[in-house]
């Protein structure tokens, strides 16, 4: 079933949206072994992008901004560091949701990777300005892992969503 055939009933399951965000936040703050910490995907970006694509009339820039602020708080980051990037993700998803549904899987992966790379660049830039944090090449790895995870992630959320009704 293609994403173009997936539509929501009038009242989306806000409990499911909140639950997926809570899981994303928990996956963001759990301790990860040093061997995979640089490959760990950005779960909050995935959830923000997914929900704004699915509910573009209900969610958008503010949803991204608020979840970015939550990430700033739980990771003890500079307030606004992640919020700015997540707001950008919400903006792009809100603007391009119809076009995105027509993309091939490879095009979707590429767009998610570019969005995540810009998200990382904003986060690193603000961190560097505030703390003179060194910029390293391995900081870009989550853009790749986040993008590669996108098709599986979207499929799993689609399958477990109680409010989703599939078109013919």
């Amino acid at each position: 079933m293609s994403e173009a055939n997936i539509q929501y009933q009038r009242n989306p399951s806000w409990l499911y949206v909140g639950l997926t965000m809570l899981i994303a936040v928990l996956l963001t703050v759990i301790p990860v072994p040093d061997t995979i910490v640089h490959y760990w995907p950005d779960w909050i970006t995935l959830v923000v992008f997914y929900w704004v694509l699915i509910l573009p009339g209900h969610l958008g820039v503010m949803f991204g901004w608020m979840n970015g602020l939550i990430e700033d708080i739980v990771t003890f980051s500079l307030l606004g560091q992640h919020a700015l990037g997540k707001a950008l993700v919400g903006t792009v998803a809100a603007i391009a949701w119809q076009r995105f549904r027509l993309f091939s899987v490879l095009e979707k992966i590429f767009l998610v990777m570019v969005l995540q790379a810009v998200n990382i660049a904003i986060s690193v830039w603000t961190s560097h300005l505030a703390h003179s944090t060194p910029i390293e090449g391995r900081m870009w790895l989550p853009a790749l892992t986040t993008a590669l995870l996108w098709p599986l992630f979207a499929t799993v959320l689609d399958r477990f969503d109680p409010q989703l009704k599939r078109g013919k």
Side-chain angles (χ1 to χ4, degrees), residues 13 17 32 50 58-60 85 87 93 109 115 125 138 143 151 153:
S13 174
V17 173
V32 179
Y50 175 83
H58 297 281
L59 302 173
I109 289 171
L115 276 175
W125 175 68
R138 62 186 177 186
F153 180 82

Side-chain angles (χ1 to χ4, degrees), residues 106-127:
L106 288 177
E107 290 171 324
K108 290 176 183 180
I109 289 171
F110 180 73
L111 178 62
V112 171
M113 185 173 65
V114 169
L115 276 175
Q116 181 58 16
V118 172
N119 186 18
I120 290 169
I122 291 170
S123 180
V124 168
W125 175 68
T126 55
S127 179

Side-chain angles (χ1 to χ4, degrees), residues 33-129:
D34 290 339
T35 54
I36 64 168
V37 72
H38 297 293
Y39 299 97
W40 198 245
D42 187 340
W43 297 102
I44 295 175
T45 295
L46 282 170
V47 172
V48 166
F49 193 64
Y50 175 83
W51 283 116
V52 175
L53 285 176
I54 295 295
L55 300 168
H58 297 281
L59 302 173
V61 178
M62 288 306 296
F63 182 69
W65 180 263
M66 288 185 330
N67 285 294
L69 281 177
I70 290 169
E71 184 175 359
D72 290 332
I73 292 166
V74 299
T75 60
F76 303 105
S77 301
L78 179 68
L79 279 181
Q81 179 176 340
H82 294 99
L84 186 58
K86 301 301 187 269
L88 177 71
V89 169
T91 302
V92 171
I95 291 170
W97 69 273
Q98 289 176 321
R99 213 174 278 148
F100 186 79
R101 291 178 181 196
L102 301 174
F103 286 172
S104 70
V105 173
L106 288 177
E107 290 171 324
K108 290 176 183 180
I109 289 171
F110 180 73
L111 178 62
V112 171
M113 185 173 65
V114 169
L115 276 175
Q116 181 58 16
V118 172
N119 186 18
I120 290 169
I122 291 170
S123 180
V124 168
W125 175 68
T126 55
S127 179
H128 182 72
L129 286 177

